[in-house]
């Protein structure tokens, strides 16, 4: 297969879609080769199962226009970052050969997210070392972090207004995890199917995803925006391309 332009890596299925699904939809719609890699199947989640969440993730990847969706087994709820997990991720980076990687932030409410950041950050470097493991070395040009629970001052915000409906369709694929539009409050709390209620499965959480995108959209004069953090300064060829397009 040919190399990916962008690979979004998350600790659990739905992390990437919730955080940067609009950006992935935008990139896929503009002809970029976009992939997703889930470092666990979310098997320790309160609701659903590893198998079900895997099927939901595959449907969500389809909805966003991804050409690849892959899974590793780093251990949901007890995330491992040892040599076995490094070798597995290095092999995937060399197979998929992304130019850009999107990752969790260095620290977040769920400890798996920070551990996943460390693993992704380290492996993006190690994958470029000729004498580390086997396979053709490959080092992504950059790693940007998307926003999950904990806020941060963004390095840049992507205008995802035109692709927000596509992101919503991807989130609708996660029936076991996220509140579904039109569902009763009982279904949202898990009471209808006997599943335990979760914060992530509440109507408030789903509304907060929209509210946050509207907040960051406003920062760039757009309807919806997704924020990112870069540990390194960003290179631009045209400073005017950075200006907001909407009302000032
Ligand atoms: Zn997560």
């Amino acid at each position: 297969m040919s190399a990916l332009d962008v690979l979004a890596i998350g600790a659990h299925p739905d992390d990437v879609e919730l955080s940067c699904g609009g950006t992935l939809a935008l990139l896929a719609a503009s002809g970029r080769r976009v992939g997703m890699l889930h470092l666990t199947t979310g098997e320790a989640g309160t609701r659903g199962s590893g198998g079900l969440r895997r099927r939901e993730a595959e449907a969500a990847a389809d909805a966003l226009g991804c050409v690849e969706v892959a899974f590793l087994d780093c251990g949901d709820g007890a995330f491992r970052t040892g040599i076995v997990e490094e070798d597995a991720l290095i092999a995937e980076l060399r197979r998929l050969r992304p130019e850009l990687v999107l990752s969790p932030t260095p620290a977040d409410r769920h400890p798996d997210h920070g551990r996943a950041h460390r693993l992704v950050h380290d492996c993006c470097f190690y994958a470029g070392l000729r004498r580390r493991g086997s396979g053709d070395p490959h080092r992504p040009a950059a790693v940007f972090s998307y926003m999950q629970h904990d806020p941060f001052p963004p390095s840049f915000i992507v205008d995802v207004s035109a692709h927000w409906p596509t992101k919503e369709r991807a989130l609708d694929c996660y029936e076991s995890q996220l509140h579904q539009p039109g569902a009763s409050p009982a279904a949202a709390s898990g009471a209808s199917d006997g599943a335990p209620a979760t914060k992530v499965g509440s109507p408030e959480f789903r509304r907060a995803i929209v509210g946050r995108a509207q907040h960051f959209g406003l920062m760039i004069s757009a309807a919806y925006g997704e924020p990112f953090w870069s540990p390194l300064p960003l290179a631009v060829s045209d400073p005017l391309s950075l200006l907001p397009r909407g009302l000032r």
Side-chain angles (χ1 to χ4, degrees):
M1 63 168 279
S2 55
L4 294 180
D5 293 300
V6 185
L7 177 63
I9 304 178
H12 316 105
D14 80 19
D15 286 4
V16 162
E17 295 88 335
L18 285 164
S19 308
C20 62
T23 302
L24 299 184
L26 180 156
L27 290 166
S30 62
R32 307 286 192 174
R33 289 178 54 79
V34 176
M36 274 197 278
L37 171 59
H38 304 290
L39 295 169
T40 72
T41 56
E43 67 275 10
T46 304
R47 306 186 64 176
S49 64
L52 175 59
R53 296 190 68 177
R54 190 181 176 112
R55 290 192 295 279
E56 291 174 340
E58 288 167 348
D62 270 356
L64 294 176
C66 293
V67 296
E68 172 80 30
V69 57
F71 301 85
L72 290 180
D73 179 20
C74 293
D76 182 15
F79 197 94
R80 301 180 299 272
T81 59
I83 198 82
V84 172
E85 289 74 27
E86 285 185 359
D87 285 346
L89 182 51
I90 289 168
E92 284 297 85
L93 290 167
R94 288 175 174 174
R95 179 175 73 88
L96 299 169
R97 313 188 78 71
E99 185 74 359
L100 169 64
V101 166
L102 303 177
S103 90
T105 46
D108 199 39
R109 176 173 180 256
H110 195 316
D112 283 0
H113 297 168
R115 295 189 194 187
H117 169 88
R118 188 77 241 168
L119 181 69
V120 171
H121 179 273
D122 291 355
C123 289
C124 283
F125 185 87
Y126 289 146
L129 295 179
R130 197 158 295 281
R131 291 187 169 174
R132 171 77 193 257
S134 59
D136 193 11
H138 173 75
R139 183 169 295 152
V143 181
F144 299 146
S145 290
Y146 47 75
M147 189 178 290
Q148 296 192 257
H149 186 275
D150 297 355
F152 55 76
S155 302
F156 63 94
I157 298 169
V158 178
D159 178 355
V160 297
S161 308
H163 301 275
W164 191 259
T166 308
K167 169 164 173 163
E168 292 277 13
R169 282 198 293 281
L171 299 184
D172 290 347
C173 296
Y174 284 101
E175 285 189 46
S176 76
Q177 301 300 305
L178 302 175
H179 173 67
Q180 299 297 305
S184 69
S189 71
S192 64
D193 61 1
T198 64
K199 180 176 178 178
V200 170
S202 67
E204 291 79 10
F205 183 86
R206 188 84 191 241
R207 282 202 295 272
I209 295 299
V210 176
R212 174 177 266 175
Q214 290 172 330
H215 165 77
F216 283 110
L218 188 65
M219 300 294 104
I220 56 168
S221 300
Y224 297 92
E226 288 178 340
F228 292 87
W229 172 75
S230 171
L232 295 172
L234 301 168
V236 294
S237 54
D238 177 6
L240 289 171
S241 71
L242 297 174
L243 304 187
R245 301 284 169 226
L247 295 172
R248 299 177 188 177

